Amino acid sequence: MIMRAEILIYYFCTGLTLCILYATQPIGPIFESELGISKTQAALFTTAIMTPLAFAGIFYGYLLEKIAIKNILVVAFLLLGISEIIFSFANSYFLLLNIRGFQGLLIPAVLTGIMSYISQISSKDNVASAIGIYIGVTIIGGFMGRALSGFFTDIFGWRPFFFIIGCVAIFASILLLKFSKNIKASYLKPHLIDVIHTLKLRHNLYIFLMIFGIFFTFQAMLNFIPFELARIDENYNSSKAGMLYIGYLIGVLVAFNTKKITALFRSPITAIIAGIITLIIAIQIFRIESFGLIFVAMVVFCLGNFIAHSIASGFINKMATTHKGISNGLYVSFYYFGGALGSFIPGLIYMPFGWNAFLWLLSVISFISLIFILVIRDIKA
């Protein structure tokens, strides 16, 4: 019973972390209006917190090897909670952005620590399903953070939500202090020669470049769609933007059915190609100025993204005969680095040239990602 309660607490903490990570996305137009900042500046709230995730595999493994996971997580959630409460009272854009950057330094340690902890307290027979649930919880947490921040903002303003989520993070720190065990992560230190060897493998490099482009496109859309909704919809509100992300939940279904999806397309490479083509089709639907069609486009868009991502991560693991940990670490780094750049750079096109130019950029990036996969379509997994 204690073990079950313990792992449930870790799943709760996972969802909470993703709530904090993505809570600012649907309310970008509110920040733009209240703080008197540009769309690109508002988008930086996501960039600042996401960028450190690109380097998590390099630095945080060493930290987790030296210090018990419990101690890191207790301190991290306490600091996340305090910083989130300060965020809810702050009026300076510079201070708000720096708080998000500080939280971005904590979140990689949290996610790496939680995944390591779940892996170690789960039996060999249950570890795969435990990690599968973890992935599903990250998706649900990302949706809840976006939906609830939009809902709260319309009713109470944006500040109460961040205050509440800060208090919840402090509560999570107390739960971890009471129920967690002192476990250190076993971590294989990556060497430069091993990293170079991994990147020299053609299928690895092209998969890494593909996922960089796909998550670049995905985060660009999720970060800037609220601004476009505010432009085309006279009845726009933050709740509408938050609920638009409901298509994100389709990722849960995809994550738990990767084997069936691969079987349907007869190979992982074909499934990834289908996912990217679905993504590109969805981008074109976003050109129609209708909330209903944009909602449909978001569902299709998320479906394509999660098919490509879920199958590609499994493909990397299956193809890796050596240095599997390094392959996974590089995959995560390319994934989040693409997301960090995608949450900011497309705004430099969107602001001066408009929505259609923005969508053309995402279409081109997605098409280049498709080319990377087509080049290695002859590889059999």
Side-chain angles (χ1 to χ4, degrees), residues 7-167:
I7 201 165
L8 287 175
I9 289 169
Y10 274 83
Y11 288 142
F12 166 74
C13 290
T14 300
L16 176 62
T17 304
L18 272 292
C19 272
I20 292 171
L21 178 61
Y22 290 121
T24 60
Q25 270 193 336
I27 56 175
I30 304 299
F31 287 124
E32 180 188 18
S33 174
E34 287 197 12
L35 300 176
I37 58 178
S38 69
K39 294 176 176 62
T40 306
Q41 286 176 307
L44 280 174
F45 284 132
T46 300
T47 309
I49 201 169
M50 186 175 288
T51 300
L53 286 164
F55 309 101
I58 300 173
F59 298 108
Y60 287 89
Y62 289 93
L63 181 67
L64 289 166
E65 186 183 42
K66 301 296 182 184
I67 305 173
I69 298 173
K70 171 184 176 177
N71 296 338
I72 291 175
L73 294 179
V74 168
V75 173
F77 274 101
L78 179 62
L79 293 175
L80 280 173
I82 293 170
S83 61
E84 199 77 341
I85 290 171
I86 295 172
F87 187 91
S88 71
F89 286 104
N91 293 306
S92 162
Y93 170 70
F94 181 76
L95 176 58
L96 289 166
L97 187 62
N98 275 277
I99 290 172
R100 292 287 286 177
F102 172 71
Q103 291 175 335
L105 295 174
L106 297 172
I107 285 178
V110 168
L111 294 178
T112 306
I114 289 175
M115 192 157 59
S116 298
Y117 196 96
I118 290 173
S119 297
Q120 292 192 49
I121 66 172
S122 302
S123 66
K124 287 185 178 180
D125 293 335
N126 294 327
V127 67
S129 61
I131 293 298
I133 294 171
Y134 164 84
I135 293 170
V137 171
T138 64
I139 295 169
I140 294 170
F143 167 72
M144 293 300 292
R146 294 172 172 109
L148 290 177
S149 69
F151 178 74
F152 268 76
T153 297
D154 280 343
I155 299 176
F156 307 108
W158 65 270
R159 296 181 186 276
F161 176 75
F162 290 93
F163 179 83
I164 291 169
I165 210 75
C167 293

Side-chain angles (χ1 to χ4, degrees), residues 152-227:
F152 268 76
T153 297
D154 280 343
I155 299 176
F156 307 108
W158 65 270
R159 296 181 186 276
F161 176 75
F162 290 93
F163 179 83
I164 291 169
I165 210 75
C167 293
V168 174
I170 293 173
F171 176 66
S173 177
I174 296 170
L175 287 177
L176 290 166
L177 182 64
K178 184 174 181 180
F179 290 100
S180 293
K181 300 173 184 175
N182 283 309
I183 297 176
K184 286 186 179 180
S186 56
Y187 182 72
L188 180 65
K189 296 181 178 68
H191 299 287
L192 180 60
I193 189 68
D194 296 329
V195 172
I196 293 172
H197 172 76
T198 303
L199 290 173
K200 278 185 176 180
L201 296 174
R202 189 178 61 160
H203 63 271
N204 278 346
L205 179 60
Y206 288 165
I207 286 284
F208 297 153
L209 292 172
M210 178 278 296
I211 202 60
F212 172 92
I214 292 303
F215 205 51
F216 179 102
T217 299
F218 189 65
Q219 283 302 323
M221 185 64 75
L222 269 59
N223 230 26
F224 289 97
I225 190 68
F227 296 104

Side-chain angles (χ1 to χ4, degrees), residues 273-287:
I273 290 171
I276 298 174
I277 291 174
T278 301
L279 188 85
I280 293 172
I281 291 170
I283 292 172
Q284 312 320 312
I285 303 174
F286 279 109
R287 298 181 188 278

